[in-house]
Amino acid sequence: MPLQPWMKMLSTDDHLIEPPKLWSDRLPAKYREAGPTIVEQPRPSGGPPAEVWKYEDRLYPTIGLNAVAGKKPEEFGIDPTRYDEMIPGCYDPRARLADMDIDGVWGALCFPSFPRFAGTLFLEGEDPELAHLCVKAWNDYILDEWCATAPDRLIPLVILPLWDVQACVTEIHRTAAKGAKAIAFPENPVPLGLPSFHTDHWDPVFSAAEETGMPLTMHFGTSGQAPITAPEAPMAVMIALFGCNSMYATADLLFSPVFHKHPELKVGLSEGGIGWVPYLLERIDTTWERHRFYQNVNQDVRPSELFRRHIHGCFIDDSFGIEARHAIGVDNITWECDYPHSDSYWPKSRAVAAERLADVPDEEVHKIVELNVRRLYNFPA
Amino acid sequence: MSARPESGRSDWTDLDLLTRKEAGERLHAEIAETRARLDELGEADPQARAALEQRLSLLRARAGDLSGG
């Protein structure tokens, strides 16, 4: 079996649920009421009240727990809406480690839930100072509590105050000094009302990421734009197409000036799969060969070469991607678990990965499940 | 600051969490599978047997934690 027992599986896409007092324990007294707190709300289906986040004067319909979008109201409540309905591994790092142990997973990079996967919720803040403090509080929780529980197993990812470039730069350096290893960033800032990758707006942020050696991790959905084809379309359409967001991000970045101006910048595409990569790179290269001359795109470097230098993807279950690993680049592939989402194979993630990787040579499996993550995220054994 | 409404956001659509019930069902299925593998193995491979017994113990403990919580 190529997935050897001694290989330490590192997941590049897991999630945590923020504990109720994450912000109230960290914000100054004057902001504790307006900052995110958990409040109870009656549940339409009856039973114990739901617990929801309240931030400033806004109530958020879930505590980051269930998939409400696309569901009929009578289906709400199928998923947990209270902390005591969740498995503790969602919000308790020690329980998380125990769940990882029985799953055969050694390490994990965990994305936020309530702040959204790139912290973009805080763009909605009416008080920028409070929003900034909320970003810093999340990062301090990740660094000082969540990952500090097992620094050799939990990989610290931080979020940014995206409305203020200089504040982003300061936060990157502050958190890097505390041990952060990755930066969550929107797959496309434009739908969020922010400047695109084709402007020079983000250059100081990307330079700070280069200087600190932290990759930008772009989880699908972080643009705030879902691949919805029709109001009547079942949610299955959107779920099936979500990997297209990663394709959009790839084309956007490869035809932008970003990697030409930032030769050390790395980008990780989270949860978008990898099977599409060879097709898209072929298409992008053909476009570049035929159409670059009259457009404001780099004239010298093939986009597929940029991909290999700068971008990596990950997969849970992607047989085509595994078969096409040499066309993608074995060094550009990582594995993800997606715990505690129900897409994960917990508690048999390792066994499923072993099956999927059964025809891959040992040394390539080792790269995919462990070594690439250690290199890309500067996370030595 | 962006003012896009919560309903327009998409990160949430991915948040379909394992419930206690589903997690418990998965654990019990894995416990049954591990026991079957132990029965099949018999006394043939002491090292593999010890590994499976350790896994079974961890799975049972986790299932107990969940049902007790």
Side-chain angles (χ1 to χ4, degrees), chain B residues 7-23:
Chain B
S7 59
R9 303 291 187 174
S10 65
D11 290 28
W12 303 102
T13 54
D14 185 49
L15 287 177
D16 186 14
L17 287 192
L18 277 173
T19 59
R20 276 179 178 267
K21 182 170 178 287
E22 186 178 355

Side-chain angles (χ1 to χ4, degrees), chain A residues 99 102 116-117 221 342 347, chain B residues 6 9 11 16 26 55 62:
Chain A
D99 282 348
I102 62 167
R116 303 195 188 105
F117 301 156
S342 57
Chain B
E6 172 66 20
R9 303 291 187 174
D11 290 28
D16 186 14
R26 289 188 186 193
R55 175 162 181 75
R62 212 72 199 116

Side-chain angles (χ1 to χ4, degrees), chain A residues 53-230:
Chain A
W53 285 104
K54 178 172 173 282
Y55 170 37
E56 294 177 332
D57 293 326
R58 298 177 299 281
L59 286 176
Y60 291 82
T62 73
I63 41 176
L65 302 182
N66 54 357
V68 170
K71 285 187 176 177
K72 297 173 185 169
E74 56 267 35
E75 291 175 331
F76 292 0
I78 290 172
D79 297 317
T81 54
R82 294 178 57 81
Y83 281 90
D84 59 13
E85 294 172 353
M86 269 188 274
I87 51 177
C90 290
Y91 56 85
D92 175 347
R94 286 172 189 80
R96 171 65 60 96
L97 292 168
D99 282 348
M100 289 162 62
D101 285 343
I102 62 167
D103 209 19
V105 176
W106 175 258
L109 178 84
C110 294
F111 285 84
S113 292
F114 168 65
R116 303 195 188 105
F117 301 156
T120 56
L121 177 130
F122 294 116
L123 287 163
E124 292 174 4
E126 288 171 8
D127 182 335
E129 176 58 22
L130 171 58
H132 192 181
L133 290 169
C134 286
V135 167
K136 292 170 77 172
W138 194 91
N139 292 339
D140 287 340
Y141 170 74
I142 283 294
L143 291 159
D144 300 339
E145 288 195 31
W146 182 267
C147 293
T149 307
D152 57 336
R153 299 184 64 180
L154 299 170
I155 307 168
L157 167 144
V158 296
I159 57 176
L160 299 178
L162 293 163
W163 57 92
D164 181 336
V165 163
Q166 192 48 53
C168 288
V169 171
T170 302
E171 188 63 1
I172 288 170
H173 286 289
R174 184 184 81 87
T175 54
K178 292 181 72 172
K181 297 293 184 186
I183 302 162
F185 201 83
E187 63 196 353
N188 180 4
V190 174
L192 299 162
L194 298 168
S196 79
F197 295 138
H198 304 274
T199 70
D200 57 8
H201 178 83
W202 299 106
D203 281 345
V205 176
F206 297 158
S207 294
E210 286 180 290
E211 288 157 18
T212 54
M214 288 201 278
L216 306 178
T217 55
M218 298 182 181
H219 196 290
F220 72 33
T222 46
S223 60
Q225 201 164 49
I228 295 170
T229 58

Side-chain angles (χ1 to χ4, degrees), chain B:
Chain B
M1 293 283 182
S2 163
R4 283 196 63 190
E6 172 66 20
S7 59
R9 303 291 187 174
S10 65
D11 290 28
W12 303 102
T13 54
D14 185 49
L15 287 177
D16 186 14
L17 287 192
L18 277 173
T19 59
R20 276 179 178 267
K21 182 170 178 287
E22 186 178 355
E25 287 167 359
R26 289 188 186 193
L27 282 170
H28 287 297
E30 187 65 7
I31 287 167
E33 197 175 305
T34 307
R35 287 178 62 178
R37 287 169 62 198
L38 267 171
D39 290 346
E40 194 180 321
L41 189 64
E43 304 301 322
D45 184 342
Q47 201 175 349
R49 187 169 182 84
L52 283 173
E53 281 173 344
Q54 187 189 6
R55 175 162 181 75
L56 189 59
S57 171
L58 286 171
L59 288 164
R60 282 176 170 153
R62 212 72 199 116
D65 290 344
L66 275 186
S67 60

Side-chain angles (χ1 to χ4, degrees), chain A residues 207-381:
Chain A
S207 294
E210 286 180 290
E211 288 157 18
T212 54
M214 288 201 278
L216 306 178
T217 55
M218 298 182 181
H219 196 290
F220 72 33
T222 46
S223 60
Q225 201 164 49
I228 295 170
T229 58
E232 304 80 12
M235 197 176 172
V237 175
M238 181 179 66
I239 294 170
L241 292 177
F242 243 130
C244 293
N245 281 32
S246 297
M247 298 173 71
Y248 276 56
T250 297
D252 208 20
L253 284 164
L254 292 182
F255 281 123
S256 80
V258 169
F259 296 132
H260 302 289
K261 289 197 281 186
H262 302 281
E264 301 302 321
L265 186 66
K266 307 289 184 199
V267 168
L269 300 171
S270 302
E271 209 165 332
I274 54 171
W276 50 267
V277 171
Y279 160 74
L280 188 66
L281 292 184
E282 182 180 52
R283 174 71 185 157
I284 287 175
D285 274 357
T286 303
T287 303
W288 181 80
E289 282 159 10
R290 293 183 183 172
H291 297 285
R292 71 180 184 278
F293 304 105
Y294 59 89
Q295 300 191 59
N296 184 26
V297 297
N298 180 277
Q299 303 291 305
D300 304 317
V301 186
R302 289 169 73 82
S304 59
E305 180 56 31
L306 281 183
F307 180 92
R308 294 203 170 82
R309 287 183 210 161
H310 296 278
I311 298 180
H312 56 280
C314 62
F315 70 95
I316 306 174
D317 217 0
D318 191 334
S319 300
F320 287 110
I322 293 168
E323 278 183 33
R325 64 191 179 279
H326 294 124
I328 297 164
V330 173
D331 291 341
N332 299 70
I333 300 171
T334 64
W335 171 82
E336 65 160 303
C337 178
D338 203 29
Y339 177 99
H341 293 171
S342 57
D343 264 0
S344 83
Y345 284 101
W346 183 88
K348 53 193 307 176
S349 298
R350 190 179 188 97
V352 172
E355 281 176 22
R356 304 293 189 269
L357 295 164
D359 297 326
V360 180
D362 291 23
E363 63 274 18
E364 293 184 9
V365 170
H366 197 199
K367 282 185 172 186
I368 290 169
V369 303
E370 180 179 359
L371 299 181
N372 289 344
V373 183
R374 294 206 185 279
R375 185 186 80 254
L376 292 162
Y377 293 83
N378 186 23
F379 193 68

